[in-house]
Amino acid sequence: MLLINCQHRRSKPMKETFSPSQARRIALAAQGFALPRPAGTIDRRHLTRTLSRTGLLQIDSVSAVVRAHYMPLYSRLGPYPLSLLDGAAQSRKRLLFEYWAHEASLLPVETYPLMRWRMQRAERGEEMYGGLAKFGRERADYIEGIYRQVVSRGPIAASDLDGQKGSGGWWGWSDAKHAFEWLFWAGRITTAYRRGFERLYDLPERVLPPAILKLPTPSPADAHRELLRISARAHGIATVGCLRDYFRLSPADIKGRIEELVEEGELIPVRIDGWARPAYLHKDARLPRRIGARALLAPFDPLVFERTRAENLFGFRYRIEIYTPAAKRQYGYYVLPFLLGDRIVARVDLKADRPAGVLRVHAAYAEPHAPPGTAPELFAELQLMQGWLGLERIEVTPAGDLGPSLAAIKPS
């Protein structure tokens, strides 16, 4: 692996040009895909190293295969005990906390002070769902009553309160759920743990490490600059839009911050052939000679959750079709990209049928540049996932242009 030699000059930054293939390898290395999956037991050290690269794990409620936040570790490390991530997010020696970053996310606890500006804005009714902000303005006394319930009874879920069960979804939230979520946005409460997928809330001082809570609160400008640093390390190479999107920062939030990071030598302006927008290289980015990855990716993996970036890097147009009517879906309900080497070469519609003990492949599709050995490589990765999820077998429906080849493979 090569350390990229882009010498930075404060007066006149060098503009190096990278090919799309080089940009792709830089991005994959930044996300941890240049390293082989570890042999033996996977422990907290592996989790910490992976989180130091990704910076966050996006949370999503869909469990067609496995909850989205479990998948990025699997994609990079291979089979690991789910209890490892649960313990890091829920135990007394927690490494992670939940908050709004790139959507709802698990973040290293060290990031907590960097999110206080967002909590402060939320408490003022800014930068949260409009309906929730309106609820906060109109039901302040009720929200304070719910906060007192957390103080006296926490950890507690909205459904633990008598008569407080919504019908599901944002629009079906109960009043109590609205209040809990408002308090969560404002940072006055946090997630102690989850029961199934339901949050149980408690006070930050009863959940987070005391050393973290004692850290000083940076100014918004300092926090935004540091979040951009984390984003830049996670990307390796990226446009301003991608750097900003990782933590959902607004254009106003980053005004002047990119220029400061360039001045400090943290970011290096570069060009990527074929990209319309200028890009920035992180000073510690690496350019491997090759990438030997093989991984199924969650739809919300940091490598692909910014869809325009995925298209620019991989020539891979990706849209999740969960909310598309079945008859109008192009690829399927829950489709996972398949990374092989440094390219996304296929996509597969998967379902973990736990009652039947089956990993169901509803359809599989090859990308135009997929190599001849894509089907056996994908099947091997599906077998690995089957074992990780504790399922007994794989059943392949020969749908999609790759489906018949996949269905013809005999399990090893």
Side-chain angles (χ1 to χ4, degrees):
M1 187 178 291
L2 302 175
L3 177 64
I4 298 166
N5 184 19
C6 275
Q7 187 175 4
H8 176 73
R9 301 172 184 170
R10 284 177 178 263
S11 58
K12 188 177 180 182
M14 177 184 288
K15 288 230 176 188
E16 184 162 341
T17 299
F18 293 93
S19 70
S21 175
Q22 289 173 321
R24 192 162 57 244
R25 282 180 277 143
I26 293 168
L28 286 162
Q31 281 285 316
F33 286 105
L35 301 173
R37 286 170 170 169
T41 303
I42 295 172
D43 57 25
R44 279 196 166 201
R45 292 171 299 170
H46 298 100
L47 183 151
T48 301
R49 282 197 292 268
T50 302
L51 263 294
S52 72
R53 294 186 176 94
T54 66
L56 56 80
L57 300 172
Q58 186 175 335
I59 299 169
D60 187 76
S61 62
V62 179
S63 59
V65 178
V66 67
R67 303 280 187 198
H69 56 287
Y70 292 110
M71 271 293 294
L73 293 177
Y74 168 76
S75 299
R76 291 153 181 80
L77 301 174
Y80 74 96
L82 299 185
S83 59
L84 177 66
L85 184 55
D86 292 339
Q90 300 180 6
S91 70
R92 289 186 176 275
K93 295 182 178 180
R94 73 177 58 219
L95 303 175
L96 304 168
F97 76 103
E98 285 188 28
Y99 193 60
W100 293 99
H102 185 93
E103 303 299 331
S105 301
L106 285 170
L107 302 151
V109 291
E110 294 78 11
T111 311
Y112 186 79
L114 301 179
M115 307 309 293
R116 285 179 178 145
W117 63 273
R118 181 163 282 163
M119 298 171 187
Q120 291 163 357
R121 289 184 186 178
E123 195 159 20
R124 298 195 299 267
E126 303 168 8
E127 296 197 6
M128 61 166 59
Y129 300 138
L132 194 57
K134 182 173 183 286
F135 186 88
R137 292 191 298 270
E138 296 176 352
R139 303 292 300 278
D141 290 345
Y142 179 79
I143 290 171
E144 287 304 312
I146 293 296
Y147 178 74
R148 289 192 293 271
Q149 291 271 7
V150 177
V151 172
S152 62
R153 296 176 57 185
I156 186 173
S159 63
D160 291 336
L161 301 183
D162 292 340
Q164 295 291 339
K165 191 166 182 64
S167 59
W170 153 256
W171 49 89
W173 281 0
S174 67
D175 283 353
K177 178 63 174 174
H178 278 82
F180 279 114
E181 288 299 314
W182 189 96
L183 291 163
F184 178 80
W185 271 93
R188 295 179 61 189
I189 62 176
T190 190
T191 304
Y193 58 91
R194 284 180 180 262
R195 184 172 57 204
F197 195 67
E198 184 181 27
R199 282 193 188 121
L200 278 85
Y201 303 90
D202 208 343
L203 305 179
E205 55 266 34
R206 296 200 293 235
V207 170
L208 300 175
I212 297 298
L213 293 171
K214 290 176 184 176
L215 290 173
T217 300
S219 69
D222 287 343
H224 297 153
R225 191 182 304 108
E226 188 57 36
L227 291 172
L228 284 170
R229 284 195 180 99
I230 296 170
S231 174
R233 284 196 298 270
H235 282 92
I237 192 167
T239 64
V240 170
C242 292
L243 294 173
R244 183 171 64 80
D245 179 72
Y246 211 70
F247 287 94
R248 294 287 202 249
L249 302 173
S250 73
D253 290 333
I254 69 162
K255 187 176 182 181
R257 304 288 84 82
I258 297 289
E259 294 79 2
E260 291 165 357
L261 292 173
V262 169
E263 181 68 19
E264 293 170 12
E266 190 89 11
L267 294 180
I268 301 155
V270 296
R271 296 186 182 95
I272 302 173
D273 285 335
W275 287 29
R277 297 180 183 277
Y280 293 87
L281 181 79
H282 189 262
K283 65 181 179 65
D284 296 329
R286 303 274 172 161
L287 174 55
R289 290 183 175 89
R290 65 179 297 274
I291 297 283
R294 191 189 75 188
L296 287 161
L297 305 172
F300 307 104
D301 190 288
L303 186 65
V304 295
F305 62 31
E306 211 295 312
R307 307 306 191 202
T308 300
R309 177 175 170 83
E311 195 161 353
N312 287 337
L313 281 174
F314 299 101
F316 183 73
R317 190 177 190 279
Y318 186 39
R319 301 292 185 271
I320 193 161
E321 298 181 282
I322 292 171
Y323 303 109
T324 302
K328 295 184 178 181
R329 290 177 192 142
Q330 183 177 5
Y331 295 109
Y333 177 78
Y334 201 73
V335 174
L336 277 61
F338 178 50
L339 175 70
L340 186 63
D342 69 349
R343 304 297 299 269
I344 294 175
V345 300
R347 61 188 89 202
V348 56
D349 183 17
L350 287 184
K351 168 71 175 177
D353 185 346
R354 290 174 177 83
V358 176
L359 182 61
R360 300 193 184 279
V361 181
H362 294 308
Y365 302 86
E367 293 299 294
H369 52 265
T374 295
E377 291 282 5
L378 175 54
F379 194 84
E381 191 62 25
L382 289 167
Q383 283 189 298
L384 196 67
M385 174 176 275
Q386 170 209 328
W388 177 54
L389 297 177
L391 302 172
E392 297 172 7
R393 65 189 189 278
I394 299 172
E395 291 187 3
V396 181
T397 301
D401 58 9
L402 193 61
S405 299
L406 209 58
I409 298 172
K410 302 296 183 184
S412 57

